[in-house]
Amino acid sequence: MRLNIGVIKGDGIGPEIVTEAMKVLDKTGEVYGHECIYTQLLMGGASIDVHGVPLTDETIEAAKASDAVLMGSIGGDAKTSPWYQLEPSKRPEAGLLKIRKELNLFANLRPAVLYDELKGACPLKEEITDGGFDMMIMRELTGGLYFGERKTVEVDGVMTATDELTYNENEIRRIAKRGFDIAMKRRKKVTSVDKANVLDSSRLWRKVVEEVAADYPEVTLENMLVDNCAMQLVKDPRQFDVILTENMFGDILSDEASMVTGSIGMLASASLNETKFGLYEPSGGSAPDIAGKGIANPIATILSAAMMLRFSFDLDQEAEAIENAVSQVLKDGYRTIDIMSEGKTQISTSEMGDRICSYIHL
Ligand code: NAD
């Protein structure tokens, strides 16, 4: 099997962490008999330096021609980088918004996993998190409040601002199906989060999600109000498998869920469209403060590559091999500086990649 992967190394630590993820993908290919063909693409600051814009039409076309895209992070230090002297639509982050829109990436997946070995980084009490937790936040990414009409008007000297929140049943159905499909590959539970006691858009959300659930009898569906969900995430995060929610609620809850893991360098993410195509990237940014030092944690990007194998290529066994290798490296006490603790062995970005490769086997 040949996997055509577009690679956007990006800015800051991006090139360092993506190089390690490619190393791990190549090792997995060697062991399981598939070949990764990479097409290097420029985006963000790296694209501004060469083309004067953060994303060219050629890059978009090349991304569309790939089966999936693996990306580092983009952007620089807003105070010192010349990229931020440009007008907002020409800055690195504009490329990110544009590529998501061009590729119609409507489903954002952010796993929040607390490994037992890293429980010291979790800000919650030990009795709440004993044994770790493993949830997937599934956020609708192209509808809702952030894409509604907005206006600010002054009437009789009083300023009034309006933002519209709209969802149609098709938008809800496609993300719900994705959520249930993913739950089928996990512990078969979906918690759909809404505000159905107040909002019409949430009542439609709940109705459509319940209709979709009828096609997945093996999956347990639970409806939860967003305010309760925000509390439950810190009260008992182990109860969650897949959290399925709309754009703004997902924006807030996914950040809350990632904070309770305590380790930004460990958190993967994926954005998917209606086909098998996806864009896979770490949840963190380009960390300009540590770029070029060889100390960045590559695990979030490596786990994003594992998500790519699972969701874009249906290579579940290979994805699991990578996830198990990451767990094993942590169990054996190897750490990059961001997750370092007493008694453990500190290693560099590339040593972490090498260690993970050494644990990948049939
Ligand atoms: P950041 O996530 O880059 O950094 C926050 C802190 O976490 C820093 O101390 C950094 O050193 C640390 N960190 C992040 N990833 C790490 C890793 N893999 N290993 C070890 N430590 C890590 O957030 P920021 O400083 O707010 O943003 C820096 C730049 O990244 C900005 O230009 C921002 O716009 C951009 N950004 C890009 C994306 C993206 O590409 N999707 C997302 C967020 C931020």
Side-chain angles (χ1 to χ4, degrees), residues 13 73-76 84 93 96 281 284-290 297 338:
I13 59 170
S73 353
I74 57 142
Y84 295 90
E93 288 75 7
L96 201 55
E281 57 179 318
S286 59
D289 53 334
I290 57 166
N297 186 347
D338 57 312

Side-chain angles (χ1 to χ4, degrees), residues 318-338:
E318 287 83 339
E320 222 167 276
I322 295 176
E323 288 157 357
N324 290 340
V326 167
S327 294
Q328 196 54 51
V329 165
L330 296 176
K331 274 195 193 106
D332 289 354
Y334 296 105
R335 305 279 190 271
T336 44
I337 193 167
D338 57 312

Side-chain angles (χ1 to χ4, degrees), residues 16-30:
E16 299 164 58
I17 54 183
V18 171
T19 299
E20 298 313 307
M22 290 165 70
K23 207 191 254 180
V24 173
L25 280 172
D26 287 336
K27 177 66 195 286
T28 312
E30 227 173 80

